[in-house]
Amino acid sequence: MRVDHEDHKIELPDAIVSEAAREKAISRAIAHFEASRPRQGAASRWWRGLGLAWLSARPSLRMALVTGAALLIAVPIGTHILRRQEAATPYIVSQVETGAGYEPSNTGSAAKTMTSKPATPVTQVARLDPLAPPPADSRVRVVGGVPDDVQAFVEAAPANTEVQTRSSQEIGRDKFSNAPQNAFKVVAQEPVSTFSLDVDTASYSYVRAALNQNLLPRPEAVRVEEMINYFPYDYAAPAGAEEPFSTAATVMPNPWQPGHKLLRIGIKGYSLHAQERPAANLVFLIDTSGSMNEANKLPLLVKSLGMLVDTLRPEDKVSIVTYAGSAGVVLPPTKASDKASILAALDRLQAGGSTAGGEGIRLAYQQAEANFDTKAVNRVLLATDGDFNVGIADPGELRGFVERERGKGIFLSVLGFGMGNLNDQVMQELAQNGNGVAAYIDTLNEARKVLVEEATSSLFPIAKDVKIQVEFNPAAVSDYRLIGYETRMLKTEDFNNDKVDAGDVGSGASVTAIYDIVPAGATRPVDESRYQAAQPVAPADKPDEYAFVKIRYKLPKSETSRLITTPVNHAGEAATLAQAPADARFAVAVAGFGEWLRGGKYVGALKPDDIIALAAGAKGDDPYGYRAEFVNLVRAAKTAKGLPQQP
């Protein structure tokens, strides 16, 4: 409820916890009101007297006053905040103790709603004056608000009072899958390594966003393959769309493990020409919940999608669906030739409400299906901070829904925004099950990279269910370890099973995988087996092969896989690291950094300065400055702080 009086707006909350809390808040609010209105005289005394009468009145009488003559009353009553400007955003402070009670919903704006949380240790909730200090020996949580007022509140707190602001609550609360790192495999026991190819880049952008805040990312947030694949590499292009991949392999010394070698496998996808690119039927599914009400979330999202609209052709179509407290169609299917209508619909979006991600997804797919084009790419583009707390709550059910829609030819890609609320695990699962990519956008430059410079690789697949299998020659390699790809490992038998889903690769994309290999005869990371057979001998017709690489894929409109094979031999080996191609050395530097961020279990004494030296000497052609930025991020990691412990 809001009561207007002269130049003031008085907010009345929808619920309070106890009469004691109400009276305490009223008394403090009246004291502040008098301090902020130093007028004297009968009028001032009349207002104060009416306020005290309200405090002592029975609840039924108060209601009668509110519905009648009290419409003229402008006394701060109840638990409230006196707003000094129309643009000011009130905030809630909750006193945290032991016991059950209520906690304010984190909706980002007026934050009037309260959610009953019987097990939550919050016993008092009230709107308090921004300048009034909290009680001594208390622990309070500030949600939302005007930054200057929040800072003043924090500074006014007694020394023995803990004050938590919204930003401090959100540090380290993002959700990631925590797959253990790949370990070394013994070639004599497991000669074959199989995984799904991946071109996602979300992890690198998240790592960058954390380091730009002088924070080391959590180890589980670091997916080394996504860091490696963030960068373009100069691999030879394939000959045509019918065999859409070329493969290059380089063997070089391992800079962090003497005696080991690194095998870099580089794969380049076919680039569609302009006349080959299919039409696009896109549905923007946009999270407009309250958690998106931050500068690096919804405002950045709107600008990012606006840049994507600029790249579309006139015949492409765009629909916009939003979800918050409920889902709704903001823009029906509209041709990109009417760009003004699409951009206007984006500009009208505002954040507020809870999150109903599942319901939004259903509506988005309905829009895609209603406008389905068999000759086009039909794709839902989900833009969110990754918080799915209403709708299809069960992850398995949500994955199943996306998989079924994928079978109809409607794919899903995910763009993540912001920190503190990011459910990266759900985003990754949805993108993988939806035959799409997952990207994290922390700056406009990143939006330009993903949605403009790499739009064709993000939106238009050249192959689906792409799998790679590497078989090592036991006469040449005793042990191996795949760096990264922990969440994309497949069983050996899955490689030939066309019913097993795998990754999609878009137009012109490059994919890199790096193995740490132990040559036969070198010191091994595991002890020799007591009962192991004699050292195997290489086949007579393959004496110089390290490994054999197989790629299995399906063309976008086919359900039958095809196979490409490439042997890895000494012809592609560099005797020293300096003799390896610059692209290979740079990829090794990125892999080393990712491993160091994960804890350094497999990189020996590798230090950031070693990574900087390796990367700086291998930047090569860097037209967009991505590699120079990487070197600066490694420098930032040297002094970045670890995440604080959460209460």
Side-chain angles (χ1 to χ4, degrees), residues 54 61 105 129 158 162 196 224 247 261 295-296 323 333 353 360 362 370 390 416 441 468 522-523 587 593:
W54 173 273
L61 178 57
S105 298
D129 186 284
E162 178 186 345
S196 168
V224 183
T247 307
K261 295 183 179 182
N296 64 343
Y323 66 94
R362 285 196 181 97
V390 181
I441 295 179
I468 182 171
T523 302
F593 184 50

Side-chain angles (χ1 to χ4, degrees), residues 189-438:
Q189 300 171 358
E190 298 182 60
V192 177
S193 170
T194 309
F195 59 96
S196 168
L197 279 190
D198 172 57
V199 291
D200 290 348
T201 60
S203 181
Y204 180 85
S205 303
Y206 185 90
V207 167
R208 177 181 58 205
L211 290 173
N212 284 338
Q213 296 185 36
N214 197 34
L215 292 171
L216 286 173
R218 291 154 51 187
E220 62 267 30
V222 181
R223 290 184 292 273
V224 183
E225 77 279 3
E226 294 187 19
M227 297 188 67
I228 297 170
N229 287 316
Y230 180 85
F231 301 92
Y233 298 100
D234 189 21
Y235 301 138
E242 287 302 304
E243 189 172 297
F245 299 109
S246 64
T247 307
T250 302
V251 178
M252 69 201 96
N254 185 332
W256 56 74
Q257 286 290 357
H260 290 207
K261 295 183 179 182
L262 295 177
L263 167 60
R264 182 208 61 166
I265 300 172
I267 298 167
K268 180 68 175 179
Y270 176 74
S271 293
L272 296 171
H273 299 296
Q275 64 272 20
E276 296 176 296
R277 206 207 82 177
N281 169 30
L282 304 178
V283 180
F284 297 164
L285 174 57
I286 301 175
D287 182 351
T288 55
S289 60
S291 64
M292 294 291 289
N293 190 24
E294 297 181 22
N296 64 343
K297 293 187 179 181
L298 186 60
L300 177 59
L301 183 159
V302 168
K303 293 177 183 177
S304 301
L305 294 181
M307 288 194 289
L308 173 59
V309 171
D310 285 335
T311 70
L312 299 178
R313 299 187 301 192
E315 63 270 25
D316 295 334
K317 293 182 180 179
V318 171
S319 308
I320 300 177
V321 174
T322 63
Y323 66 94
S326 60
V329 178
V330 173
L331 183 75
T334 302
K335 286 191 174 183
S337 56
D338 189 7
K339 183 170 68 174
S341 295
I342 300 173
L343 296 179
L346 288 170
D347 288 339
R348 289 194 298 268
L349 298 179
Q350 294 182 342
S354 61
T355 307
E359 299 305 318
I361 284 177
R362 285 196 181 97
L363 186 55
Y365 275 100
Q366 289 174 11
Q367 290 293 304
E369 190 168 357
N371 200 44
F372 188 84
D373 184 347
T374 57
K375 297 181 179 180
V377 170
N378 301 275
R379 186 176 296 276
V380 174
L381 193 61
L382 169 60
T384 178
D385 62 359
D387 186 11
F388 291 82
N389 56 25
V390 181
I392 303 179
D394 179 67
E397 182 183 351
L398 193 53
R399 286 194 304 269
F401 173 77
V402 172
E403 288 175 1
R404 289 190 295 274
E405 296 298 322
R406 181 191 70 207
K408 300 176 184 177
I410 303 175
F411 301 151
L412 174 71
S413 292
V414 185
L415 303 177
F417 291 82
M419 298 182 74
N421 204 39
L422 191 73
N423 194 331
D424 175 86
Q425 181 175 359
V426 172
M427 288 168 50
Q428 292 289 323
E429 291 175 353
L430 292 181
Q432 290 179 34
N433 286 276
N435 277 13
V437 300

